[in-house]
Amino acid sequence: MIDDRATDPVAYLDQVAASAPGQGFKQRVLRLMELSPGHTVVDIGCGPGTDLGAMAAAVAPGGTVVGVDRDPMMVEVARSRLAGTAGVRVRHGDAHALPLADGIADRARTDRVLQHVDDPARALAEVRRMLRPGGRALLAEPDWDGLLIDSAEPELSRRLTRFIATEIVRNATVGRSLAGLCAGVGLAVRSVETHTPVLRDFGTADRLLGLRRNVRRAVRAGHLDGGAEEWIEAVAARPFLATFMMFLVTAEVA
Ligand SMILES: C[S@@+](CC[C@H](N)C(=O)[O-])C[C@H]1O[C@@H](n2cnc3c(N)ncnc32)[C@H](O)[C@@H]1O
């Protein structure tokens, strides 16, 4: 999610996960995690439990999946959705102080979470603490400077990207910093790749990226002038193309 203030965050996350770009991204994330039967996995910032079922299937038999989220509403939704799924637990907790013992996890994941936390380095130190030797972290985070929208007025596209990156998302450029942050907490980086979904349908892009909503906010905040609302409608009316950049990093406890 671009920001924490979507009107219905659960519906928003469901829409992202169900979209074609979301599915492609999540499949790649799961593949990079290399889950095996018996693994203990921690999904930090699990949201409404979006991927807990898929992870549980990949670590069965004998595995455990622990979802952690700081938002009690997300925890409640995840618990109710995963009730009855063997091997899944959902905990209320903060990424900066995970409610889990040292060295218990084979795998840890963040999917669009470090972009929101107060201190990504501290959250990664927690990941390091909780992983066992040989354990792997998969960090999937955006870099919002990489949001590009085709437009007859590219300067307005640049200014919208700048508004989102500087005013809306707390750690908007965390994607490019993940490898360095991992090294800083003693995690050995094994791979870094980018994932750049190409969106060719305005409706999908508006749902995933909140384009109209963020243009309205930028106008209210004085970062774009009133004409920007007409501009985004013109963008919607012509053949559409937008892309944005996700970084997928795997790092291990050496
Ligand atoms: C963009 S959502 C992603 C949810 C989930 N990973 C998914 O793929 O659907 C970000 C989630 O991170 C959670 N979150 C943000 N900051 C957190 C923190 N400091 N500790 C734990 N969870 C956090 C939010 O409550 C939200 O559920």
Side-chain angles (χ1 to χ4, degrees), residues 1 26 45-47 50 69-71 74 93-95 111-112 117:
M1 115 175 56
K26 283 187 171 294
C46 65
T50 315
D69 206 284
R70 74 167 174 195
D71 180 341
M74 291 291 181
D94 193 310
D111 174 353
R112 294 161 296 144
V117 305

Side-chain angles (χ1 to χ4, degrees), residues 39-42 66 89 100-107 129-132:
H39 272 165
T40 295
V41 187
V42 180
V66 184
R89 283 186 288 133
L100 296 160
D102 295 0
I104 53 118
D106 300 287
R107 297 287 185 268
R129 176 187 67 72
M130 197 193 53
L131 283 171
R132 61 175 51 121

Side-chain angles (χ1 to χ4, degrees), residues 195-209:
H195 190 84
T196 49
V198 175
L199 306 173
R200 298 185 62 200
D201 169 62
F202 180 83
T204 304
D206 195 30
R207 279 192 297 281
L208 301 192
L209 303 170

Side-chain angles (χ1 to χ4, degrees), residues 144-205:
W144 288 114
D145 273 354
L147 170 62
L148 311 176
I149 301 165
D150 179 36
S151 157
E153 296 178 76
E155 182 53 24
L156 288 182
S157 164
R158 274 187 210 111
R159 284 167 62 188
L160 176 61
T161 295
R162 186 159 174 73
F163 171 71
I164 289 170
T166 59
E167 307 298 322
I168 297 294
V169 184
R170 181 176 284 133
N171 307 308
T173 59
V174 72
R176 75 188 72 169
S177 303
L178 290 171
L181 288 167
C182 285
V185 300
L187 287 167
V189 175
R190 299 298 184 216
S191 67
V192 180
E193 57 183 71
T194 53
H195 190 84
T196 49
V198 175
L199 306 173
R200 298 185 62 200
D201 169 62
F202 180 83
T204 304

Side-chain angles (χ1 to χ4, degrees), residues 67-122:
V68 179
D69 206 284
R70 74 167 174 195
D71 180 341
M73 185 270 293
M74 291 291 181
V75 169
E76 192 185 319
V77 174
R79 280 186 181 147
S80 114
R81 288 183 174 181
L82 275 299
T85 304
V88 176
R89 283 186 288 133
V90 183
R91 307 276 307 260
H92 180 239
D94 193 310
H96 302 93
L98 290 170
L100 296 160
D102 295 0
I104 53 118
D106 300 287
R107 297 287 185 268
R109 181 190 83 154
T110 69
D111 174 353
R112 294 161 296 144
V113 177
L114 298 177
Q115 62 171 335
H116 297 304
V117 305
D118 292 340
D119 184 349
R122 195 165 131 219

